[in-house]
Amino acid sequence: MLIFRAMKYLYTFVLALFALQSFAQTLETDRLALVAIYNQANGPDWGTNWVVPGTTGDSPCGWDGVTCAGGRVTRLILSAAPAKAPLPPEIGNLSELTHLDLWTETFGPGFMGLIPSQLGNLSKLEYLRLDGNYFSAQDVSVIGNLTSLKELSMNPLGDIPASFANLVNLERCTIGQYDPFPVGVWELASPNAIYQWPKIKVLRMAGVKFTTPISSQIGNLVTLDTLELGALTGPIPAEIGLLTNLTYLSIAGGYLSSTGTGNIPVQLGNLTNLKFLEISNIGLTGTIPASFNNLTNLKTLSLRDNALTGPIPDLTSIPLATAVDISKNKFTFAGMEENISRLDIYSGQAKIPLHANVIMGEIGGRVNGELAGGLFVFAGGTLANNTYRWYKNGALFTTTVGNEELWTDEGLYRVEVTNSLVPGLTLVSEDYNLIRLPVTLVSFDGKSENSQTKLTWKTTSETNNKGFEIERSADARTFEKIGFVDGNGDTKEDEMYHFTDLQPFETSYYRLKQLDYDGKFEYSKVIAVRGDQVEIKVYPNPAQELLTVSGTKSKSDVRIYNNAGRLVMKHGLNANGQVDIKGLSNGIYNVTIGGYSKKLLIQR
């Protein structure tokens, strides 16, 4: 019996000794891996308390940045900025690591070269931070083996590999350049692997320029709370509007050159949980969607540095405390007066065009006995609230209130416009060099005959006259060239000119562009010619969802204005002569096409 007990105790002792020896060897493996990293990455420069080379059996637990649990190294934080060092393969021996942070505080270059394939052995890793290092794009795919990862942060030098689709436990991911001193332009193809992450909550991809458009599959990431994107190529996917859990959305080109296109998707108005919304410096055009008035939880709205135009829609449901920045776009005062209580920063808008009305001959009128021209500008807002300061040849020429037109003589002009209800913005026009060309135009007329337009005009004297371009418009604003008629050079005789437009609109607007041989040019007045025997019908009236327009051959858009005279829809007719009006609320509207206008009631 005593012998049996002695053998039992001896067996237990041997097992304990073996276990202790095994434990020690495992921790020793961790220590040796750390020593290898230290020696490879210029450890003496770190200024840490690591004991290297040390002796067998030393414990690394408690070294700076090293945390142990259960007798193994489980956390490693190296932020001492190793200088241009490769990461040794021994990193893969730290098999119990759950947290690996190699971020470099001094913005690198930290670890460089290839990511060792042995990193893929860290099957228990839940947190991995690699940003601040310059790892080669080659072998980045090994990170796809780390399927336990919940957080990943890195600044890759190449595209994201398909293997990242395996990271199905990721909840937070940062891919991009977030350093305050970025170097160069970081370009990435839009990574398709991210659309396979079912648990992702925070996805930050700022500081990069995407070389391919963001896929509509981004709408699959319904668990997202935070989304950051950098400089886009292509449009903002409307499917982002499906991510209704978002509280933070930033799409910003920053210092990068963005080639984003298109408008702000109206579907973003569905993101009613948003507290922060930034869409800046990505080259978007169009208007602010009216659906933004649904974003009643916003604390910050920034749309700066784009090419957005007005009118600004009703934003009065956005909280007063929301910081709203719409600066550096192409807005005028249109819509600003009504929303001024919600606008915090709105300065720095682009220059507005300055137009010339007439300059040839008697049509222009006379100022101080000299033949004159008309200048006008569209600044938006209520005319009575606008003050126009006209500058001629760099000096203030005259100031008018509530009058956007100026009849004057030759000179280099610009105008500055302020609005009494919008004190933080001065709109500045482009320069316009008003020149009275030596052609006296005494008449310009048009009439409709047999579905064609016959144009005639007469001059009484010409000097250096190359000829006339004939321009046509459906709305009196946007003109296109439809023909050219030679001039008579130099003459003091009366000259008659003719031109026939074979395919006019229902109502066409025409002007002449008189060209001089030395390249100078100027425009005539604009005349309107309505087609004969044209009857435009708009039905049903009242309407609900679709509006049909018949009796028109016009290619111009259907424009719908509300009772206040604001343009609320501009759309072409479909193949059935219809336009979708589901987005308009009940009320009375004016429908115009090709110069015709009809009253419309929308009632559902």
Side-chain angles (χ1 to χ4, degrees):
M1 188 70 174
L2 291 173
I3 295 174
F4 175 77
R5 288 180 177 176
M7 291 180 65
K8 180 179 178 181
Y9 290 142
L10 179 61
Y11 178 73
T12 303
F13 175 74
V14 170
L15 285 177
L17 182 62
F18 178 79
L20 180 63
Q21 193 172 23
S22 176
F23 169 79
Q25 287 176 343
T26 306
L27 185 60
E28 177 65 12
T29 302
D30 290 347
R31 186 187 74 86
L32 292 176
L34 295 175
V35 170
I37 296 171
Y38 184 92
N39 289 332
Q40 185 73 58
N42 308 305
D45 296 336
W46 297 1
T48 62
N49 66 348
W50 286 30
V51 181
V52 177
T55 59
T56 301
D58 287 349
S59 173
C61 303
W63 290 1
D64 290 343
V66 178
T67 302
C68 297
R72 295 294 306 277
V73 173
T74 57
R75 294 170 62 93
L76 176 60
I77 301 174
L78 292 180
S79 56
K84 300 182 180 180
L87 184 64
E90 287 83 356
I91 187 70
N93 294 337
L94 299 171
S95 57
E96 292 296 317
L97 272 185
T98 61
H99 186 111
L100 177 59
D101 188 342
L102 301 182
W103 175 65
T104 55
E105 290 180 344
T106 54
F107 313 117
F111 289 103
M112 302 183 72
L114 297 177
I115 295 178
S117 60
Q118 291 82 356
L119 186 72
N121 298 337
L122 306 182
S123 59
K124 297 183 179 181
L125 204 60
E126 296 181 356
Y127 178 99
L128 177 61
R129 186 171 187 185
L130 300 178
D131 45 327
N133 301 283
Y134 288 167
F135 287 117
S136 168
Q138 186 178 351
D139 291 338
V140 172
S141 59
V142 70
I143 294 175
N145 297 335
L146 306 176
T147 56
S148 295
L149 276 182
K150 295 181 179 179
E151 295 190 37
L152 171 64
S153 180
M154 62 185 300
N155 49 332
L157 295 181
D159 294 340
I160 302 303
S163 66
F164 275 41
N166 299 328
L167 305 179
V168 294
N169 288 301
L170 268 185
E171 296 177 2
R172 303 175 65 90
C173 182
T174 298
I175 297 174
Q177 187 172 213
Y178 287 82
D179 297 344
F181 306 108
V183 179
V185 176
W186 291 56
E187 295 188 345
L188 294 178
S190 174
N192 290 325
I194 66 175
Y195 307 127
Q196 311 305 316
W197 296 344
K199 299 180 181 179
I200 193 71
K201 296 179 181 178
V202 176
L203 179 57
R204 305 176 69 209
M205 296 191 294
V208 299
K209 180 178 180 179
F210 294 105
T211 58
T212 58
I214 301 295
S215 169
S216 61
Q217 293 184 73
I218 200 166
N220 298 339
L221 305 180
V222 294
T223 55
L224 273 178
D225 169 85
T226 298
L227 175 62
E228 290 187 15
L229 300 173
L232 298 186
T233 294
I236 298 174
E239 288 76 9
I240 290 180
L242 300 174
L243 309 179
T244 53
N245 287 320
L246 281 178
T247 63
Y248 186 105
L249 174 59
S250 174
I251 307 174
Y255 67 94
L256 302 172
S257 175
S258 182
T259 54
T261 58
N263 302 337
I264 300 175
V266 65
Q267 291 85 350
L268 297 192
N270 298 334
L271 305 179
T272 55
N273 289 313
L274 278 178
K275 296 181 180 178
F276 182 97
L277 175 57
E278 177 184 18
I279 305 175
S280 66
N281 199 25
I282 58 172
L284 293 187
T285 56
T287 60
I288 301 173
S291 61
F292 272 28
N293 209 31
N294 299 332
L295 305 179
T296 56
N297 289 303
L298 278 181
K299 295 183 179 179
T300 299
L301 173 60
S302 176
L303 303 175
R304 70 182 188 278
D305 287 299
N306 284 292
L308 299 173
T309 57
I312 298 170
D314 179 18
L315 299 177
T316 54
S317 291
I318 292 177
L320 272 172
T322 303
V324 178
D325 183 353
I326 61 169
S327 61
K328 297 182 180 180
N329 280 282
K330 292 185 176 181
F331 294 117
T332 65
F333 296 120
M336 283 197 181
E337 294 170 318
E338 301 89 329
N339 289 289
I340 192 61
S341 63
R342 298 305 192 272
L343 304 180
D344 296 282
I345 305 175
Y346 48 88
S347 60
Q349 303 301 329
K351 289 184 177 181
I352 55 179
L354 183 57
H355 305 279
N357 193 3
V358 184
I359 193 61
M360 287 187 288
E362 298 294 339
I363 296 174
R366 292 180 179 271
V367 175
N368 297 326
E370 295 293 327
L371 293 176
L375 299 173
F376 60 96
V377 66
F378 298 108
T382 304
L383 281 178
N385 296 332
N386 289 350
T387 297
Y388 301 82
R389 293 176 175 84
W390 295 89
Y391 291 80
K392 177 181 179 181
N393 300 328
L396 183 63
F397 176 61
T398 187
T399 299
T400 61
V401 177
N403 186 0
E404 60 190 2
E405 295 183 290
L406 177 70
W407 287 94
T408 184
D409 56 2
E410 292 184 324
L412 181 64
Y413 290 89
R414 78 171 194 275
V415 61
E416 297 180 359
V417 190
T418 56
N419 182 288
S420 58
L421 299 183
V422 187
L425 176 63
T426 297
L427 294 175
V428 179
S429 77
E430 299 169 343
D431 289 345
Y432 195 100
N433 192 15
L434 190 61
I435 302 172
R436 179 170 59 83
L437 296 178
V439 172
T440 303
L441 180 70
V442 294
S443 68
F444 177 36
D445 300 293
K447 64 179 179 177
S448 179
E449 291 182 1
N450 300 321
S451 299
Q452 300 176 354
T453 299
K454 308 290 186 180
L455 298 175
T456 58
W457 62 98
K458 179 181 179 181
T459 65
T460 56
S461 68
E462 300 178 19
T463 303
N464 202 29
N465 181 23
K466 180 179 180 180
F468 302 88
E469 288 183 359
I470 297 89
E471 296 186 351
R472 182 185 63 196
S473 171
D475 58 8
R477 290 179 182 267
T478 303
F479 285 84
E480 62 177 347
K481 177 184 174 182
I482 61 171
F484 181 81
V485 174
D486 289 328
N488 282 281
D490 299 307
T491 179
K492 297 297 183 181
E493 304 295 327
D494 291 353
E495 301 290 345
M496 289 295 303
Y497 295 90
H498 306 269
F499 182 83
T500 300
D501 182 6
L502 301 178
Q503 294 182 313
F505 302 126
E506 275 79 15
T507 296
S508 297
Y509 298 88
Y510 298 95
R511 68 183 182 186
L512 302 175
K513 182 179 181 181
Q514 190 271 319
L515 301 174
D516 213 351
Y517 277 110
D518 58 7
K520 295 179 180 179
F521 66 89
E522 200 49 81
Y523 293 103
S524 73
K525 70 175 181 178
V526 175
I527 63 172
V529 181
R530 178 170 294 183
D532 51 352
Q533 298 179 340
V534 173
E535 183 180 2
I536 303 294
K537 294 182 179 179
V538 176
Y539 60 91
N541 195 354
Q544 295 183 349
E545 296 186 350
L546 289 174
L547 186 67
T548 301
V549 179
S550 67
T552 177
K553 298 179 294 182
S554 176
K555 298 178 182 179
S556 59
D557 290 327
V558 175
R559 297 169 181 259
I560 301 179
Y561 299 83
N562 63 16
N563 238 2
R566 177 182 295 172
L567 179 66
V568 294
M569 178 176 287
K570 175 184 175 184
H571 209 289
L573 295 173
N574 64 20
N576 297 320
Q578 295 175 318
V579 61
D580 188 336
I581 58 171
K582 288 193 291 290
L584 298 179
S585 57
N586 290 347
I588 298 175
Y589 297 86
N590 284 306
V591 180
T592 66
I593 182 170
Y596 285 82
S597 180
K598 299 284 186 180
K599 286 285 186 182
L600 172 69
L601 173 64
I602 297 179
Q603 190 173 50
R604 300 182 181 92

